[in-house]
Amino acid sequence: MRNTFAKTFFNEAKSDERLSIVVADISPAGAMSEFRKEFPNRFINTGVAEQIMIGMVAGMAMQGLKPFAYTIATFSLYRPFEFIRDDLCYQNLPVTIVGIGGGVTYSSLGSTHHAQEDIAIARAVPNLSVIAPCDPFETEKATQFCVKQENGPIYLRLGKAGEPILLENMSDPFVFGKIRYLKRGSDICVVGYGPILQVGLKIAELFQERGKNISIVSNHTLKPMDEEGLVEMLASHNQIIIIEEMSPIGGLSDYLKVVAWKNNLKCDIINFSLKDKFIHSYSSHDDLLELHGLSLNYINSKLDI
């Protein structure tokens, strides 16, 4: 996904000289390296100075540029949080903060590198929109949206690398602020965002083998939420299964339960998320998901498919 972002950003930058990128201690590779070589005056590496990165993109935006701030998710959002709140969001500047490795993607680097509560934090800040695409296709479309929009700051949460395209030739397009059906059914709906949705697809396949009619929904825009679309989703399925690689507090599951209660919708809602705890494991991403209760085997056992 980060490679798709870099390639898309580079291609868009060829026709928009305002596009620039400020990174914090990230060595550019692939298309990002091409961008630096092609547009050296539009690429800045602040080093381990994330607050400066955010202050810099704020100033650049005020001068009419369209800057992106780019680094590992924990360092793009947590370390410079006050600068994001005051410099970007308070002034409602059209800057995109790119967080690479959302959730526990950087599993082997420990909890300091796990962005397991970033969605809740970002959604709580006024004026800050939040997008978390599920695969390279949505990453491309989300990046193109961020490049063109002028309305305010966005937190763009990405995976790391190697994520597959979940379903090709989809009828539902990517539209900012609207849920996207990857598959339409009527019995059970699996909904989520980010690369963890690939686990949702595998769960859906198991249900389909049991004769269930399954919907799969990408809720790629976490703020603003598509309340109208989500109400329709809740009303048209007997059971909703939420899968999110995020804290159980302040994410999609909390929001959906409130929407269901407000609209007196009686569907069964089951949510799977990261645990509300720091887990001290330094192995693979899959191993850490297993410990958090977000693996295919764990979810399958709890659903008793």
Side-chain angles (χ1 to χ4, degrees):
M1 291 173 74
R2 66 181 177 186
N3 296 335
T4 299
F5 163 80
K7 181 179 179 180
T8 305
F9 186 82
F10 176 55
N11 289 335
E12 294 289 336
K14 294 175 183 177
S15 58
D16 188 346
E17 63 182 13
R18 297 179 301 159
L19 285 172
S20 39
I21 192 156
V22 181
V23 307
D25 198 35
I26 290 287
S27 298
M32 192 64 71
S33 181
E34 291 181 49
F35 179 91
R36 183 178 65 173
K37 292 176 182 177
E38 186 78 17
F39 309 111
N41 294 330
R42 292 154 63 183
F43 181 94
I44 301 170
N45 190 339
T46 65
V48 188
E50 292 84 357
Q51 292 93 338
I52 290 175
M53 175 183 70
I54 297 300
M56 189 173 287
V57 293
M60 293 164 71
M62 294 176 74
Q63 293 300 312
L65 298 175
K66 297 194 71 176
F68 281 51
Y70 175 100
T71 192
I72 294 173
T74 47
F75 304 125
S76 69
L77 184 65
Y78 299 168
R79 285 178 62 85
F81 178 74
E82 183 183 8
F83 286 67
I84 291 171
R85 182 181 183 273
D86 295 346
D87 291 1
L88 300 185
C89 299
Y90 180 70
Q91 300 183 91
N92 203 30
L93 297 175
V95 171
T96 299
I97 306 159
V98 183
I100 301 298
V104 294
T105 302
Y106 285 98
S107 56
S108 62
L109 298 182
S111 296
T112 57
H113 286 61
H114 299 169
Q116 60 191 67
E117 62 281 272
D118 58 334
I119 297 296
I121 291 170
R123 289 188 66 238
V125 185
N127 292 331
L128 185 59
S129 297
V130 181
I131 307 175
C134 69
D135 67 358
F137 171 85
E138 285 193 346
T139 299
E140 178 184 7
K141 300 304 179 184
T143 303
Q144 291 170 343
F145 171 81
C146 292
V147 161
K148 293 177 173 60
Q149 72 89 27
E150 306 268 0
N151 297 324
I154 294 176
Y155 175 56
L156 177 61
R157 185 208 219 207
L158 301 179
K160 187 179 177 184
E163 296 87 358
I165 293 177
L166 297 188
L167 288 176
E168 305 214 31
N169 303 317
M170 293 302 308
S171 57
D172 277 13
F174 173 94
V175 179
F176 172 75
K178 298 293 182 183
I179 62 174
R180 175 172 171 254
Y181 279 85
L182 278 64
K183 186 179 186 305
R184 289 184 180 266
S186 56
D187 297 327
I188 300 170
C189 181
V190 179
V191 57
Y193 55 88
I196 194 66
L197 196 55
Q198 61 185 294
V199 175
L201 262 69
K202 294 174 183 176
I203 291 295
E205 290 172 2
L206 294 176
F207 274 119
Q208 286 170 178
E209 291 172 2
R210 296 284 297 273
K212 298 293 185 180
N213 201 341
I214 306 298
S215 291
I216 305 167
V217 168
S218 171
N219 194 105
H220 49 72
T221 304
L222 281 303
K223 185 182 177 183
M225 288 281 197
D226 180 12
E227 183 165 350
E228 181 180 354
L230 291 171
V231 167
E232 188 277 331
M233 180 192 78
L234 291 165
S236 58
H237 297 86
N238 298 322
Q239 187 176 72
I240 306 294
I241 299 170
I242 307 164
I243 300 178
E244 54 181 334
E245 193 174 341
M246 216 281 292
S247 161
I249 301 167
L252 178 61
S253 57
D254 281 357
Y255 183 86
L256 277 179
K257 290 172 184 178
V258 170
V259 168
W261 180 81
K262 280 171 50 180
N263 291 274
N264 197 30
L265 299 171
K266 304 299 185 182
C267 57
D268 184 25
I269 298 177
I270 305 172
N271 64 285
F272 296 93
S273 66
L274 299 176
K275 294 179 180 179
D276 182 27
K277 63 188 296 186
F278 296 116
I279 293 180
H280 301 291
S281 172
Y282 304 91
S283 53
S284 71
H285 187 206
D286 287 342
D287 288 342
L288 197 53
L289 290 178
E290 180 76 38
L291 292 171
H292 272 284
L294 267 182
S295 68
L296 175 63
N297 289 336
Y298 179 86
I299 294 173
N300 185 16
S301 68
K302 291 299 180 181
L303 292 174
D304 192 26
I305 299 175

